[in-house]
Amino acid sequence: MSSPRLPFLEKTATTTTGTKMTHNADSIHVKELQLPHGLVAPDVWGKPKEQPATITLTVSLKGDGFSTAADKDQLDQSTIHYGELSKRVRALNLPAQDVERFVDEAQTCVQAMASKAEGKFIVRRAVLRVTLPKASMYGEGVVWTRVCEYDDAGKVTRRMGEYGVDEVKIMTLVGVNAYERQAEQPLLIGVNLTRWVQSEGEAGWPKMEEMAGLETKVVEIIKPTTFETLETLADHTAKLLQEGFLATRFPQGCILRLTISKPRAIPFADAPAVEVMRNNHENLRGCVNRDSGPTIGIRDLNVVKPYA
């Protein structure tokens, strides 16, 4: 599934000459693992229904990572066997299983495989991303992501949930040129909603059934507009989403990232795009890296506009 999301990378310190310093990070990935059964989630009509799904797992290791396995050229206690991880996760998938329950069990599986001999726990962060390609009416699919961060004993210290819809195609009247005012043109919309939970007393993530109306709400907002610029459209859409959809589902706040691409604007480019990030998360600390989402904390428009 394509996405306008930019590749936020693991942070690695460098010197002025470009030489890497001592901050290293090793990760294990299993990408788009097919599940033997569907998962129950809202379909395009908002009704719970079993549907095809894939899961992508990213396991980031503590300390020196899998250095001893690399030195010996064999699997050892410093790494996660990705083949065994894939088999165990697939075995957890049962008929009529909902997304949240499956992700909970997959996260427990990762946690168990990260526990090694003598009480050693080798994982610092696990990212589990479920993709539901048939759950979107106008886009490329719905994505549900869970991130867990662990201490040295393997206890979860922080959790994150993210719900997103990718490349939602909407026809609308937009553009500054006279010829663009004559007919509607397609826009591709990406929306991601993120919430971190750092203590047991905090409000968690809304059920997927409560999020099923997000795509419809985005279409309702954007379809009737006639703005000239993507900048105004993005800001307008973010405000109405916050007021009319997110406020009731995230009373303690969330991070909204909205991307609008205009694929017909530049003949020799895939698309110009604008992106806005709005953070009213009441307790977010620092920034979020590639394992768990975008760098945040800025309320300004982030504009990608090659036609300027």
Side-chain angles (χ1 to χ4, degrees):
M1 181 187 306
S2 59
S3 171
R5 186 171 184 170
L6 298 176
F8 295 93
L9 302 176
E10 185 76 41
K11 292 183 179 179
T12 303
T14 57
T15 66
T16 55
T17 59
T19 304
K20 289 182 180 179
M21 295 174 65
T22 57
H23 186 178
N24 301 320
D26 294 346
S27 300
I28 306 294
H29 301 265
V30 178
K31 299 181 179 181
E32 302 300 339
L33 179 66
Q34 296 283 338
L35 300 179
H37 305 284
L39 293 176
V40 176
D43 64 9
V44 295
W45 308 109
K47 299 179 180 179
K49 188 174 183 179
E50 189 170 309
Q51 52 192 289
T54 62
I55 185 170
T56 293
L57 303 106
T58 299
V59 180
S60 301
L61 305 178
K62 292 179 180 290
D64 294 328
F66 47 64
S67 59
T68 61
D71 290 341
K72 295 183 292 186
D73 195 20
Q74 64 183 37
L75 298 177
D76 65 6
Q77 297 285 295
S78 72
T79 190
I80 299 287
H81 190 315
Y82 52 76
E84 182 65 22
L85 175 61
S86 301
K87 291 177 183 177
R88 292 192 189 186
V89 168
R90 280 175 54 86
L92 294 171
N93 179 218
L94 304 174
Q97 188 177 35
D98 65 45
V99 173
E100 289 96 337
R101 184 173 59 176
F102 171 69
V103 171
D104 284 342
E105 295 186 7
Q107 186 268 326
T108 300
C109 173
V110 172
Q111 205 167 0
M113 292 190 68
S115 299
K116 302 297 184 179
E118 300 178 354
K120 185 178 181 181
F121 192 84
I122 66 170
V123 171
R124 64 182 179 84
R125 180 185 292 114
V127 182
L128 302 92
R129 188 184 75 233
V130 172
T131 301
L132 301 162
K134 299 294 186 178
S136 171
M137 177 70 82
Y138 306 101
E140 293 298 311
V142 166
V143 178
W144 165 248
T145 304
R146 168 79 59 80
V147 179
C148 291
E149 295 181 348
Y150 306 93
D151 62 16
D152 291 339
K155 180 181 178 181
V156 176
T157 59
R158 197 163 69 142
R159 295 180 292 117
M160 186 210 79
E162 183 175 87
Y163 181 93
V165 288
D166 287 335
E167 295 202 355
V168 178
K169 185 177 180 180
I170 303 174
M171 299 294 293
T172 191
L173 191 67
V174 63
V176 299
N177 298 300
Y179 54 82
E180 291 182 293
R181 312 310 296 176
Q182 298 175 13
E184 295 180 342
Q185 60 179 301
L187 299 178
L188 298 179
I189 316 299
V191 184
N192 291 86
L193 307 174
T194 304
R195 176 163 177 79
W196 283 95
V197 177
Q198 300 178 153
S199 68
E200 293 299 326
E202 288 185 52
W205 186 266
K207 293 290 185 181
M208 286 200 71
E209 288 78 7
E210 297 179 67
M211 303 304 300
L214 175 62
E215 182 181 41
T216 299
K217 187 65 176 179
V218 170
V219 175
E220 289 176 355
I221 292 172
I222 293 178
K223 176 66 176 173
T225 60
T226 58
F227 295 116
E228 293 190 355
T229 67
L230 295 185
E231 292 85 342
T232 301
L233 176 59
D235 191 57
H236 168 79
T237 304
K239 288 177 180 176
L240 292 190
L241 273 178
Q242 288 177 310
E243 295 169 1
F245 190 87
L246 303 183
T248 57
R249 291 163 177 80
F250 297 93
Q252 291 183 318
C254 70
I255 303 161
L256 163 66
R257 189 178 72 254
L258 170 71
T259 304
I260 302 180
S261 302
K262 190 178 176 185
R264 298 295 180 263
I266 309 291
F268 294 99
D270 284 347
V274 301
E275 181 180 89
V276 296
M277 284 180 277
R278 300 291 183 258
N279 173 27
N280 62 351
H281 206 305
E282 81 289 349
N283 65 354
L284 194 72
R285 299 176 302 186
C287 64
V288 183
N289 66 22
R290 178 61 183 95
D291 281 340
S292 53
T295 302
I296 53 83
I298 301 174
R299 291 186 58 87
D300 296 328
L301 282 166
N302 297 315
V303 180
V304 181
K305 192 167 73 168
Y307 51 83

